[in-house]
Amino acid sequence: MFSNSTVPASTALRNPRRRQRTGSDDSVAVRQLPKRLKRSGLTTETLQPLNHSANGHLHNHESSPTANGYIRDPESQSPAGGENTSLAIRNRSSRKPERERRSNRGDGSIELTKNDTYAVNRLATTPVQFQEQGNTGKWHGTLAPVLGHAVATTHTHAFIWRYKQASKAMASSKPIVVQLLHVANSTDDPLPLGVLVPSSPEPGLLIIMPVSGKVSYWDSLSSAASVDRGRQRQQTIQGTVAGLAAGEHINEITEAEPQGFLLTCTSGKIVHLTVADLQGKASINTQILHNSSAEVGGIFGSLRNVFGGGGWLRDVVAVKAGNLLHKAQRECVVGTAKGLLQVWDMNWNGSHSLKYEVDAKSQLLQSVQDTGTFASHSENQLLTVLDLAFLPAVVTGQEVTSSTSSSATRLLVLTVMSGANTTRYNLHVVNITRGEINVPVVHPITCYRSPLATGTSPKTQLLVPDPGQIAFVVFETSVVLVSLEEIEESPDSQLQNEARRVPDPFQDVLDLRKDKSYAIVGCAADTIGKEYGGSACTIMISGYGVIRVSVASVEEGLTSAERTALTAETKLEQAVFYGSQQSLLDMSGRPEIQFASEDVRDAALRISRSITSSSSKHLSTAGPSMEQHLQKRATALAELIKHLRKHCHPLDHVTRWKLLWEAEKMAAARAIWRVYNDAVSHTHEGEKILLYELVECISENDKTENRPEHHETDHVRHWLIKDVWRLEFVIPWAFKALDTLHRWSIEDGQPMSSAYRGGLISQAYDLQLMALGTAYSFRQNNASLYGFNEDAMSEGLLQRDSQEYHGIPQPWTSSNIVCEAVQTLAEYFQTFASDLSPNSSDEEGAGPPQELLQKIAEKNSRLIDTICKTHIERFRFLQASDQVRNRKLGQELENHLSDPRKALLKGLADMGQLVAAVELGEKYRDMDALAEVLESEIQVAQEELSDLVKAGDNLEEVRAKIATCEAYVDEYFDKYGTAWANAYFSRYVVQDRIWNLLTHGRKRRRHLTAFLRSHPECTNFSWINEVSVEGNYTAAADGLKSMQKQTDTLWAKQIQLSISKLATMAAVSAQQKEADDVKPFFHTTDSGLEVLSFQEQLHDYLKPTLGKALNDTPAKIEVVMEQYGKRFVKGKPALRGAMKLHVARLVEEKVLGAEDLADMITFMDEDGLDPDSDFAIRRFMVALQVVRLHADSTGDVASKELLEKIIWRRCIIQDNWPRINRTELKDEKQVEEEAEATALFKTLREGYKSGFWEHNPPPNPSTLRGVGTTVPSLRTSPRYSEASDNALSVIAQDFEIEDAALRACIEQGRLEEWWKGIVDAAQSSVRNEADRNGEEESKRAEAEQMSREKKAGDDGAAWKVDGVEKKKAAGGRWRLETDEEGDVIME
């Protein structure tokens, strides 16, 4: 068990009857020691004046009363007076020694952690022996803050050294090693207790053996450290603590009053020990404090009721000496684990008395219950006092008011409340006034709830340094800092309290690392100097050294909430900047200290940004090594995410992405710096470095400007320090700066040379490649560190449709400006390289070296790879968006990526980087780009080969290049299959090399056939492959049949239908199809061909008219409309517009639909037609045939019925029937001629002649009235079913005009009466023509018969005519015979 955190010491007061020395301090005779016994580390200059202590800490008894033994700064104290018991020291001054002052400014200590509230430093003067890990647990430590010395004891030795070092030069001074005179009987015995006793000119040393009670005292360290054992023993004063029982030992030593120490034994016994008698002579005196009356003489006589009941209490946990009440009086307090507190008044003149004895347990327990941490007391809840400390006399906190009387005792009591699986620590402010106890304030310790260790663990210590704003609770491996301030009452605090948002007082824990065998062996309240202010605690840790925890003083003007806030950002900063830089403190955090997930997230983002912008107070902004500076920041970012992932709440993926992006930029910045540093090293005088120029060009809104008034002149270093978080702005400026420098050189009349320009291009490449390439590599390599599935990421890119895309901002590596910038730079160089021939140079003959061009060409391939990554990441991000517009944009970007990639890979191959271009094409499976590159290379090589053959040059290199490309082509058919075949064969189609496709593709028959069958646009020639290579007539026919549906060229469609019919017939012949199965196809095909033949007839009829116009489509349309569209469609906007569209398609020889063709035929004016032409005579009959053929192939009966009636109506109204009806003064012949000249007669006659009316009898004119004149009647036809009502109303109005003309023909021209006569006349005309044709045919047949007979008589043939056998008779007549099939046999 280590000793109390105080430094017990006492100085023997001089006998007041002794003669006082006179004269100045310089006249004091200092004892001279033998030269060999002097120690360089201890001089009069390093010692402090004699003081007394509170809580076992030393104080000057002339100073004002203080608490917890915290000595005030010597500069604030008055010089020693007449009653000062310190010996005078030569050349002494009231000013601090120079070394001590410097130690506060720079003592060589190492900063272990720091925040706005406290700092932890490792002091530099700890001996090596004490720092060794193997010595852990074998030390007992005591600190003397006033002297600035530490004592560490083992079973055999004591080590004394000055831990408050004035300068680094002292850090190497060796400790004073004292060999102990007495040795423990066993290594299991408790360690000796050692303390320093202030004296002049150097401290004395007191060693107590806990088990045997033997005491050794040297009045100076020089005597104790003598290497001469005899002299050492001679100069020591020895004694023994009497009265120790068997198994009893001393476990604690406390400085009690000006002349002695109180020793606490394991039995609860208290022993008083002095090192000097009343006359000041060194001697060892011990006395057990008995249960006697306080009236007994002698200040260390037995004290009645000290421990009550006539025995000693075995649960004493604290013996503390308080403030000096006045010149010779001190207050002491004894505390037990059960809450019994005894206040003693002790006097140097020999008197002492028990002032109060109070049982504070009930009040302590009630105060705990009032905090709400335990609802009520039960048997399972045990309150135990662990330690106590005097509160300072002057306190700045609200929890302790000013003293009301000199008899008031103010304590801070540390308790633990233990329950079932629960442990709660509390600090109680206890006021004892005239025997009455009051507990006004309780500070629950919420940051530490670990149960107390059992066994021989060190005692828990409570330290309250002056000025009482902070308390230190030192556990076995932890130090708890608790603010003793309370929130001031104010309207704001009341509102916060009601809203449960009042911040807790500042509390924090310093844990020692569990993987190290560190042990706290001593601690004490300390001072950190007047100029620093605040409180401090110094701790001895075996296996490590001495550390100081310094708490800054409260700044004026801050609220209590601001003074006591412990934030997530503070804890994260400590873990990030100190967690990996020291091996003592565990920065992983404690489960008791938790922050909201939102607070942790925001704090992490702020810290990350402070690192990338160097705005953190833990980072320097200047130094000789930029590489080390960037490395430190990168390490900090890595430590941040490691700590967050391991010890904090899980972060959302958006926050993790943001943290990763910042770390990427830092890694990229390091790579950029290396490139820049290399460029600076190899740049000649007068040449520009692109990054330097670039940073100057960046807009002031996108960077932190230099401050010339602070002598910030290095743009690049300043940018790397302040603006790494905006690194994406460098990427577009890499090209902009390059282009700007080039333009400036031209404007200045000194254009840069090609070599110089090429060098700048190379630097621009390096910037973009280092920035983006490093970022993607870092992202891939650290994906798992940031909580991402690295298997779902390839080369830094998330897979398509990854859930990680949802909700995150646009990645900086694929922003629009980044994507455009890298592509622009790559294209810029390819243009630059293509403009240079291998031997080109500028006016100064400074063409770029081929090595440089080759180097940039190689970088170009890497940049193209980066371009692909940025674009892929961009469109994948957009496609994962919740917004339809973004998803559509992402799909468009993906579709358009192949074109620039193809061009870039083609340019890369043109620069001689064929292999690199092919590898990139393979990497991104860009078959189109691979086909483009390889086919282009083959074509160029073949052209070169032809030129070389003509010139007779060496052909091997070119042939090898062709062979290489062809090998790639053959390999890809096996490697990529259909994807490659589609890309490869498509190039033949695009370049219209159909013959090469069909011939060269035969050796890849399987892939070619699959390609042709899967691409309908190839059907117009794929049937050749089906017929000639595959012999599949069915596929050929089916392909042609499907293709003709997309073909709108007249002649092409006719050919396709014809070949389709021919292929189908071949399929039937080859038994690939059944004859019955193809009959519907034949019928449909024949109908389609017949309709096309009618359109061809129309086109042929219009050819003479079209020839009148220039070779200009609009002119031809106008000519046709002028001749054939002046009367019938006049005043009918819908019909005229439709006719104009039909004419346009006829002019372009495009296929008209059957219904459109019928309309076109019937729109034409009768006046413009040649009345004697076959087309003019048959045109309405043709229109009706087209409609019927269309209906037969589609089954559209409704459209057929509507359109037939419209055609008949138009046929009737072509002629002026009211004029025809006026027959007065006309002879028979004239009336017949006028009737037979009408379109109606001609159409009826053609129908009877062809037999068309047998299945489609002509309608009576009255049935045609009102057809199509309403919108509902038009909607019965599928042709008009999807048209709008407005469009149909216009058409119906045009049809109404036609219907009005029909009514005039019926009513004024008496067409109903004429109808039967016209029909009869048409039938009679057909019969008469048939009769005439029959007579003429009979005569022609008879003439042919006679001609054959005459020829047979001449040739001696035999044949059969009309089934009649004729043979030559014996008299020379011919005999005709036939075989069974009817063929003629001539004999």
Side-chain angles (χ1 to χ4, degrees), residues 31-70:
R31 182 180 58 176
Q32 299 296 321
L33 297 177
K35 184 176 182 180
R36 62 185 180 87
L37 298 179
K38 291 185 177 181
R39 294 294 183 266
S40 62
L42 296 172
T43 66
T44 58
E45 192 178 13
T46 66
L47 300 178
Q48 298 292 334
L50 179 64
N51 293 276
H52 302 298
S53 68
N55 290 340
H57 300 284
L58 298 177
H59 293 276
N60 188 322
H61 72 276
E62 291 294 322
S63 63
S64 60
T66 60
N68 293 340
Y70 191 90

Side-chain angles (χ1 to χ4, degrees), residues 194-332:
V195 295
L196 293 177
V197 181
S199 63
S200 181
E202 55 180 312
L205 176 63
L206 176 67
I207 300 293
I208 300 176
M209 305 302 293
V211 176
S212 64
K214 294 180 179 180
V215 180
S216 301
Y217 171 65
W218 293 271
D219 61 355
S220 69
L221 292 178
S222 300
S223 300
S226 175
V227 295
D228 186 339
R229 293 285 289 176
R231 182 178 292 275
Q232 181 194 32
R233 186 177 295 276
Q234 182 182 0
Q235 294 180 347
T236 187
I237 299 174
Q238 301 185 43
T240 303
V241 178
L244 291 180
E248 183 183 13
H249 65 268
I250 302 168
N251 59 8
E252 190 173 359
I253 181 170
T254 305
E255 192 268 338
E257 45 79 30
Q259 289 194 355
F261 300 91
L262 291 179
L263 308 182
T264 305
C265 301
T266 54
S267 62
K269 181 190 302 180
I270 304 296
V271 178
H272 181 260
L273 180 147
T274 61
V275 295
D277 57 19
L278 294 178
Q279 286 72 37
K281 182 179 178 180
S283 64
I284 301 298
N285 302 296
T286 62
Q287 186 177 9
I288 299 175
L289 301 183
H290 292 287
N291 238 355
S292 301
S293 171
E295 305 297 328
V296 179
I299 67 170
F300 297 112
S302 299
L303 305 177
R304 185 171 58 89
N305 296 327
V306 172
F307 303 103
W312 298 291
L313 299 176
R314 294 182 178 273
D315 61 349
V316 174
V317 294
V319 177
K320 296 295 175 73
N323 304 312
L324 289 174
L325 300 179
H326 49 77
K327 181 176 180 180
Q329 187 178 4
R330 181 185 292 275
E331 196 174 56
C332 295

